[in-house]
Amino acid sequence: MTAIVHELGIPVKSANWVRLLPGQNAKGEPILLATMGQDNGGFFVCDIDLKTGHCTQYASNVPSSNFPTAAYMNPSTGVLYVGGAYSGHLHRYDPNAPRQSRQLEDLGPIDPELCSFPCRIDEATDGSIYIGGYGGASLTRFDPATKQFTRHGRLDQTDQYLYPFCGKDGTVAAVVRVCFVHVVVFNPRTGEHKTVGPTINVNDAGKGSLDGSKLDLIRGVDGLLYIKSSSGNFRLSGMDAVPVEQVPDAEPAPALPDGTRAEFLDAQAQVYRRVQITPPNSSPRQLMLDWEGLGTSIYMVHAGFDGKLYGSSILPEHFFRCNPDGSDMIDLGQCSVSTGEAYSMGNLDGKIYIASYPGARLSIYDPSKPYNFGEEPGSNPRDIGRIDQVAFRPRAMLTGPAGKVWIGSVPDYGMWGGTLVHFDPKTEKIVSHRNIVQDASVIALTWLPKLGQILVGLGIQGGSGTTPRINSVPFVWWDPFADRATASDTLGFEHLEGVSALLTADDGNVYATVRARNKTEAGAATFTWELLLIDPAARRIISRNPFQPEDRSPVECGLLHGPNGAIYGATTMCIYRIPRGTTERQVIWRATNENTDEHLYAIPAVIGNRYYFNAKHRLRYLELPSK
């Protein structure tokens, strides 16, 4: 059986990883550039007309160069270097070239083995360009004259993120994140590197490190490099760190040649259209930018209690809404201070609850009232803040048990041990439980009405930048009224790495998609995704069925109730129906290997007999079988 896919449109056309770069060209003339990311069509550079706001766009033509995660503009020439994720390529835009021949030049891969996500770019006194990268805390030098890369490899064997800085005295250093935050100094002549100054253990500090509040590497107004930390301050000189009492102010942000400042007025809402130009001695003026985006990927779609379809885009997080037929589609805008994406949503008592990344912030939206986002009482949606100081990716939400909103999450960057949280809408009190299984994270939740308990699905992963500390997790039964675990069980799995979805069927049994690690006869490890049917009262598996390699992995939170009591699931490659009481899978639609833009990643939804899902930035649906 093959269902027909219907296209509804593109809900959000925004940009991410946006930077505004004021400066000058080689003639000393003022220029204003911007880098903007999008996952449809690749990132682009805007050369902005300072009088009109018109944007001339130069797009990357490198596959997977979607996000300009690192950018540096030379203050004397305006030549712009941009690192593209997740291609790991370095790009260059030269505003001094004749306008008809300008382009976003691909300079090639930064480090094919270690850098897929450029973290930071800086320029040394000799004109060399240094790029730090994730996933191997790598440092690479690029010579603009020869267009040659010198790849210095890993500067840390544990962490994965590297952010380089260059001082005017020739010092090259980098801050390493995220588990053990520290500074490494680097000798450009010999390639030698070593750690200097303090090291901050993020788990001991009790919070993440990306905000730099515990340790920062800065370039001061004097052009020298300094470590500013809760464990002391240091000035870097070559390969040494010299203790100092005071750290000078950081160098000022770039400006136009006469000191004029430029900033986005709508950056917090991640709209990036209104730019304020502020000269040193006159009144500010505004520019409206006319750049055109091709579409922002959808992270999840959600069936509202009011029969409408809601959802979230990813980086930036914009909340959207439409009718089931796609009419009245609207990008409502910001719904959280997080601005990443909504990881989970739930309906309770006429409101929609939205849990967002980063920071696992909770927002509450009442569709019956005007849209007016904020953090103050009366805002709608209202961002009420982080659910706790550990949670970062709120992957699971369950509304209703004990009258509360339950949220399961993966911890902050560099940390292990996620949380299970409940929010009481009446009192707005939040209670958080960490490590209900040591060093595990809560990934999926489902209500067991016959038992009056919540079944919790876990995963072995910690926050970004970490390696799992455990190799297996059990299922956990949780009493929402007593607010405690009542049982845990592996259900016979020796190495269960994680649960990606849970759904309780009408008869009280539970469907689950899980990832297990197995051993071959030769002793090598293999990994399989399986669909399980579980009897939660007897704590046993009724039926199990492995997914085939061509199915790829199940979509997170991808098990849904459909019409007539049917249950539907999704993998990266297909949408399937599960006959009652079995783990058989009847594929009703399959993507093609050739067209990766059709592959499924977003959390889907069902309204009536329509199954809603995405193809990257496009919202679509298919009609579900009547029988």
Side-chain angles (χ1 to χ4, degrees), residues 173-388:
V175 61
V176 178
R177 304 185 186 276
V178 293
C179 300
F180 303 96
V181 185
H182 60 283
V183 169
V184 173
V185 289
F186 176 80
N187 188 323
R189 295 190 309 276
T190 66
E192 176 191 2
H193 65 272
K194 67 176 183 179
T195 297
V196 296
T199 296
I200 304 297
N201 185 323
V202 173
N203 281 270
D204 290 345
K207 62 169 294 180
S209 62
L210 290 187
D211 60 5
S213 60
K214 294 294 182 180
L215 186 150
D216 258 338
L217 176 60
I218 68 167
R219 184 165 48 233
V221 292
D222 57 4
L224 303 179
L225 303 184
Y226 293 87
I227 298 174
K228 185 177 181 180
S229 80
S230 54
S231 299
N233 301 322
F234 302 82
R235 176 175 56 81
L236 301 184
S237 178
M239 298 296 285
D240 298 317
V242 181
V244 294
E245 289 293 329
Q246 298 293 328
V247 172
D249 291 339
E251 64 180 359
L256 298 178
D258 65 353
T260 294
R261 302 287 178 183
E263 63 177 337
F264 281 110
L265 295 178
D266 51 7
Q268 185 174 2
Q270 298 207 25
V271 176
Y272 305 113
R273 294 287 180 181
R274 295 170 56 215
V275 173
Q276 180 166 283
I277 306 296
T278 307
N281 300 306
S282 58
S283 300
R285 61 186 178 90
Q286 290 188 23
L287 292 176
M288 288 298 296
L289 306 190
D290 63 356
W291 57 267
E292 296 183 1
L294 296 179
T296 306
S297 277
I298 298 167
Y299 192 81
M300 70 171 300
V301 288
H302 173 74
F305 61 88
D306 54 2
K308 295 183 183 294
L309 192 69
Y310 296 85
S312 166
S313 59
I314 175 173
L315 289 170
E317 176 185 13
H318 282 209
F319 193 52
F320 64 83
R321 179 188 67 210
C322 67
N323 292 321
D325 62 0
S327 61
D328 294 331
M329 184 178 292
I330 181 172
D331 175 357
L332 293 164
Q334 186 178 7
C335 65
S336 171
V337 171
S338 294
T339 67
E341 62 265 2
Y343 256 91
S344 52
M345 297 184 192
N347 305 323
L348 185 65
D349 297 333
K351 295 181 176 64
I352 297 176
Y353 291 82
I354 308 164
S356 300
Y357 161 88
R361 300 183 68 95
L362 182 62
S363 300
I364 306 171
Y365 175 56
D366 185 343
S368 69
K369 297 179 179 179
Y371 201 92
N372 178 34
F373 171 75
E375 298 177 78
E376 305 78 20
S379 300
N380 189 42
R382 178 166 67 97
D383 184 323
I384 66 169
R386 292 192 67 172
I387 58 176
D388 58 46

Side-chain angles (χ1 to χ4, degrees), residues 531-551:
L531 175 65
L532 308 181
L533 180 58
I534 301 168
D535 181 338
R539 298 184 206 157
R540 68 180 182 91
I541 296 174
I542 299 170
S543 177
R544 59 197 299 177
N545 188 1
F547 289 92
Q548 300 306 310
E550 59 267 25
D551 295 328

